[in-house]
């Protein structure tokens, strides 16, 4: 009887020890994960957007993009000046060197651009992190200043707002306006459509306005917009 009780006690003790060891090991893992360094990436695309645009300016194909990062460990920014840092762009090696925390590269096509870093020998570890940047097609917007898109006088005035073209100045772009498939007279500012009808068209008459914007330096960099208005 004593032998049986001793075996049961021994098995219970082993189970408790195993459970305590598992909990202790799990606690160590949780603490280790909680203290892993964090990465803060920032990036900027050198493409165009109107001055009043408050969003993030996105790159398009061939846009220049600058990416940088800081590493934070235990609430403090880490000095990585002596650590070798290697950068990869879309899985291809781009550049490497001690303390290299910023690079500038050009977007390759439209879609996801991935910049990945490898930080060597940080407290005996190799750390890997990446950031994704979306490259988009250029766009053009034609704000309609008429409620409900209805025209009430003989003058038609619009200004084109191009976004995400590879230019510093929108005046470097080509603007082609058409009204009902007809080219209007130049207004002096290619971004602006300014037309005055000799008389107000009959109520219910519709007009179609189309706009094509191109970058003369890249024939594949273009955007278009069509709107329909009613008198």
């Amino acid at each position: 009887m004593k032998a049986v009780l001793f075996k049961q006690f021994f098995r219970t003790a082993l189970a408790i020890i195993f459970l305590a060891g598992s909990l202790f090991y799990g606690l160590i893992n949780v603490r280790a994960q909680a203290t892993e360094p964090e990465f803060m990436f920032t990036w900027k695309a050198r493409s165009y957007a109107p001055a009043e645009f408050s969003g993030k300016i996105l790159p398009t194909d061939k846009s220049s993009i600058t990416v940088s990062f800081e590493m934070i460990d235990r609430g403090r920014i880490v000095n990585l000046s002596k650590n070798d840092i290697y950068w990869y762009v879309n899985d291809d090696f781009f550049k490497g060197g001690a303390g290299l925390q910023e690079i500038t590269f050009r977007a390759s096509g439209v879609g996801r651009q991935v910049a990945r870093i490898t930080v060597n020998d940080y407290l005996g570890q190799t750390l890997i992190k990446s950031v994704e940047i979306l490259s988009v097609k250029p766009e053009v917007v034609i704000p309609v200043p008429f409620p409900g898109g209805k025209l009430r006088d003989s003058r038609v005035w619009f200004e084109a707002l191009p976004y995400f073209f590879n230019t510093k100045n929108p005046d470097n772009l080509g603007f082609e306006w058409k009204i009902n498939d007809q080219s209007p007279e130049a207004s002096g500012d290619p971004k602006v459509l300014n037309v005055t009808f000799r008389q107000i068209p009959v109520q219910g008459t519709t007009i179609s306005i189309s706009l094509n914007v191109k970058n003369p330096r890249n024939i594949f960099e273009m955007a278009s917009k069509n709107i329909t208005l009613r008198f």
Side-chain angles (χ1 to χ4, degrees), residues 23-36:
L23 291 174
F24 181 74
Y25 178 77
L27 182 60
I28 290 176
N29 277 345
V30 169
R31 286 180 177 175
Q33 293 172 4
T35 58
E36 287 183 356

Side-chain angles (χ1 to χ4, degrees), residues 81-141:
S81 61
K82 296 182 180 180
N83 295 83
D84 287 332
I85 301 172
Y86 298 97
W87 289 83
Y88 299 81
V89 176
N90 297 329
D91 294 327
D92 294 326
F93 175 74
F94 183 77
K95 198 174 184 180
L100 185 62
Q101 292 183 244
E102 179 179 293
I103 62 167
T104 298
F105 67 96
R106 291 193 179 276
S108 176
V110 172
R112 189 181 65 163
Q113 313 291 315
V114 181
R116 187 177 80 248
I117 57 168
T118 298
V119 179
N120 285 357
D121 195 25
Y122 178 71
L123 301 180
Q125 302 179 72
T126 297
L127 304 177
I128 301 174
K129 199 69 174 181
S130 62
V131 59
E132 294 186 4
I133 302 168
L134 181 62
S135 176
V136 299
K137 294 181 178 179
E139 299 180 12
V140 63
V141 174

Side-chain angles (χ1 to χ4, degrees), residues 14-197:
L14 284 178
I16 292 172
I17 292 172
F18 178 79
L19 179 60
S22 298
L23 291 174
F24 181 74
Y25 178 77
L27 182 60
I28 290 176
N29 277 345
V30 169
R31 286 180 177 175
Q33 293 172 4
T35 58
E36 287 183 356
E38 298 179 352
F39 291 82
M40 294 181 60
F41 284 93
T42 57
W43 60 269
K44 181 178 181 180
R46 288 177 175 81
S47 53
Y48 176 81
E52 61 270 22
F53 180 62
S54 60
K56 186 75 172 178
I57 298 178
L58 301 176
T60 190
D61 183 31
K62 304 296 187 300
S63 291
S64 177
I65 306 172
T66 298
V67 186
S68 62
F69 77 94
E70 294 287 355
M71 193 174 80
I72 300 173
D73 195 1
R74 296 176 180 84
R76 295 182 179 181
I77 295 177
V78 180
N79 181 356
L80 297 173
S81 61
K82 296 182 180 180
N83 295 83
D84 287 332
I85 301 172
Y86 298 97
W87 289 83
Y88 299 81
V89 176
N90 297 329
D91 294 327
D92 294 326
F93 175 74
F94 183 77
K95 198 174 184 180
L100 185 62
Q101 292 183 244
E102 179 179 293
I103 62 167
T104 298
F105 67 96
R106 291 193 179 276
S108 176
V110 172
R112 189 181 65 163
Q113 313 291 315
V114 181
R116 187 177 80 248
I117 57 168
T118 298
V119 179
N120 285 357
D121 195 25
Y122 178 71
L123 301 180
Q125 302 179 72
T126 297
L127 304 177
I128 301 174
K129 199 69 174 181
S130 62
V131 59
E132 294 186 4
I133 302 168
L134 181 62
S135 176
V136 299
K137 294 181 178 179
E139 299 180 12
V140 63
V141 174
I142 307 175
V144 179
F146 311 107
K150 292 185 178 181
L151 301 171
R152 291 179 172 79
D153 58 40
S154 60
R155 187 189 180 205
V156 177
W157 189 95
F158 294 102
E159 182 178 6
L161 299 178
Y163 289 81
F164 314 139
F165 281 84
N166 284 321
T167 184
K168 294 181 179 180
N169 187 342
D171 292 337
N172 295 330
L173 303 175
F175 295 82
E176 182 183 18
W177 294 91
K178 285 191 177 181
I179 298 181
N180 293 337
D181 293 326
Q182 300 295 317
S183 299
E185 293 183 7
S187 64
D189 185 345
K191 300 188 300 299
V192 173
L193 173 67
N194 189 358
V195 175
T196 300
F197 295 97

